[in-house]
Amino acid sequence: MAFINLNNVTYKYPLTKTPALQNINLQVNEGEFVAIVGPNGAGKSTLCYTLAGFVPHFFKGEISGTVEVAGMDSSKSTLDEWVLNVGLAFQNPFNQISGAKYTVFEEIAFGLENTGVPRNEMKPRVEEAMKLTDISNLADRSPYSLSGGQQQRVALTSILVMRPKLLVLDEPTSQMDPIGTREVFGVIRKMAEGGMTVVMVEHKMEWIANFADRVVALKDGQVLMEGKPNEVLTSELLAENGFGVSRYTSTTREAKKQGLWKKENLPVTLDEAVEGFKK
Amino acid sequence: MKIEINDLRFTYPTGLEALQGISLTIESGEQVAIVGQNGAGKTTLVRHFNGLLQPTAGSVLIGDWDTKITSVAKLASRVGYVFQNPDEQLFSKDVGTEVKFGPRNLGYSKDKTDELVKRALTLTELSDKTETNPYDLSPTWRKMVALASVISMDTPIVIFDEPTTGQDALSIARIAHVIAELRREGKTVVTITHDIDFCAENFERVIALSEGRILLDGVAANIFGQDEVLAQTYVDPPQLTRLGKKLGFKETVRNQEEFLTSLRGTSDSE
């Protein structure tokens, strides 16, 4: 059975009229890296909350269909079982920082402390996670004294250190500098290759195409399309529905109209664009 | 309105030297983008423009006002600042009140206030949401409310701290439109951004900061051509610039139009 199995999931937040998710069917295998794309208001964050158990356990509201993750069934499991298997990095890192810790090091150890990891195991795990995301130099800083992008790296590290089976990331690089973004994508790719399942909401199409295995396009709470990154991210359907595309895709689409691009498929990444224009 | 910065240094109480001697002049009506790696000092720099931070050494002049001896309240009439995180600046019970707060506090007449509010709401496409509590809106729209509540103040200088973060294509186009409109009105605009493609398409002058110093400052096309220097501050050139370079274009291209022109040039000559 798939590692994530969403079957006909429809969900409505309390006090709202329209469902945020409608008839979502999604299967993800263990170790797969899936990117979720879509315009604002498509239901991307709600889908993240659902995978992380926050919907419905924290947000309440009405849910139908089945949500199964890592062998747990959302209707039968509680949030404290859920957190041992699934880690969620919030869209706004500021909302995630505990406020109870004075240093970045302690902040990253917070989850381990709360799940009863022994002290002598905690320290090397925190150090290793900080090395992975290249923030060892921030260890003694206050989490609140950091820049937006640094804070985002801390938020991500505090999840990675927990070694969740499923990593759910809601725009984890939105405040990061460009090369930092690429590095973080590389780290996440490595986690997936090590067997961690990853679901990531992103707008940065170039890096999705370089690193993700599969793309799911959401609109108005529904799955509009899913498939291989290049196939989804260059499709006319996405362009017509107001999805963002990489400049390689949009400019090549125009070049194709003018007869300057001879291939059938459009590129999403630099390499694909170079290859197509060169011949 | 002009911004003049003279050997600006700033050290946080923790001892972190965030700015290590910045000298810079931004002319009236100029549109400038600031790029650079996380922690380079971008936000620290612009927080000096409206007096939120005071120089440890050196000076910042906003027009003829020295920020060291001018109150933040007074500076607010010259410098509008849209925060990176809208939740740090929104507090009213509905969007209409929020957007009206700034101009009303600057003492504009009721007619002028109404006109400014209306224009800000139209530009940000919030006209149908004036009754809504900002916190009932999605983060995307909250960002628009933050934008509207600053541009309604009609200040000669407007600062945007990462305006496109977490925004979709439609919303980014809306922000680009707001900036174009401010340019047309002759406002000075300073924008911090990591979105280099957005930067390339909307700004003529680019300043790259690195570790509290200016690494590069100049015309966008020149800056983006220097990919090795930019890499020092963790910035990649725009996608089309990178592609043009790989394809061996002689010129540094920034946007679709320049790219297609150069592409035609190379295919004609073959």
Side-chain angles (χ1 to χ4, degrees), chain B residues 41-203:
Chain B
K42 303 182 296 297
T43 299
T44 304
L45 174 62
V46 301
R47 286 195 172 183
H48 280 83
F49 296 179
N50 66 341
L52 285 179
L53 293 175
Q54 289 290 334
T56 306
S59 64
V60 177
L61 285 178
I62 302 298
D64 53 352
W65 292 353
D66 184 335
T67 62
K68 244 189 273 186
I69 51 168
T70 314
S71 70
V72 174
K74 194 173 169 194
L75 282 165
S77 65
R78 290 192 173 175
V79 184
Y81 185 148
V82 184
F83 280 58
Q84 185 169 357
N85 180 356
D87 298 355
E88 287 174 9
Q89 77 177 75
L90 303 178
F91 55 87
S92 298
K93 64 175 175 25
D94 61 62
V95 170
T97 315
E98 186 74 55
V99 178
K100 208 183 228 176
F101 182 85
R104 205 164 51 188
N105 275 277
L106 290 176
Y108 297 140
S109 70
K110 189 183 174 300
D111 285 353
K112 184 169 179 190
T113 301
D114 288 347
E115 191 195 311
L116 288 170
V117 168
K118 195 176 156 203
R119 187 191 68 122
L121 291 170
T122 311
L123 268 177
T124 50
E125 296 174 36
L126 283 166
S127 303
D128 59 337
K129 298 183 175 66
T130 53
E131 309 277 308
T132 314
N133 184 317
Y135 287 93
D136 287 338
L137 294 170
S138 70
T140 318
W141 282 109
R142 278 212 294 283
K143 193 102 180 180
M144 285 298 146
V145 178
L147 229 86
S149 68
V150 169
I151 57 176
S152 67
M153 291 164 72
D154 196 28
T155 52
I157 299 169
V158 185
I159 298 163
F160 297 101
D161 196 345
E162 292 196 32
T164 61
T165 299
Q167 308 289 310
D168 63 8
L170 207 71
S171 175
I172 291 176
R174 198 183 292 127
I175 294 166
H177 174 67
V178 169
I179 290 174
E181 196 61 26
L182 295 175
R183 177 186 303 131
R184 208 181 52 78
E185 291 172 4
K187 308 272 193 205
T188 307
V189 176
V190 180
T191 302
I192 294 176
T193 186
H194 288 306
D195 186 340
I196 298 301
D197 299 300
F198 172 80
C199 173
E201 287 155 1
N202 295 286
F203 295 90

Side-chain angles (χ1 to χ4, degrees), chain A residues 10 40 67 85 99 139 242:
Chain A
T10 296
N40 296 128
V67 178
N85 292 302

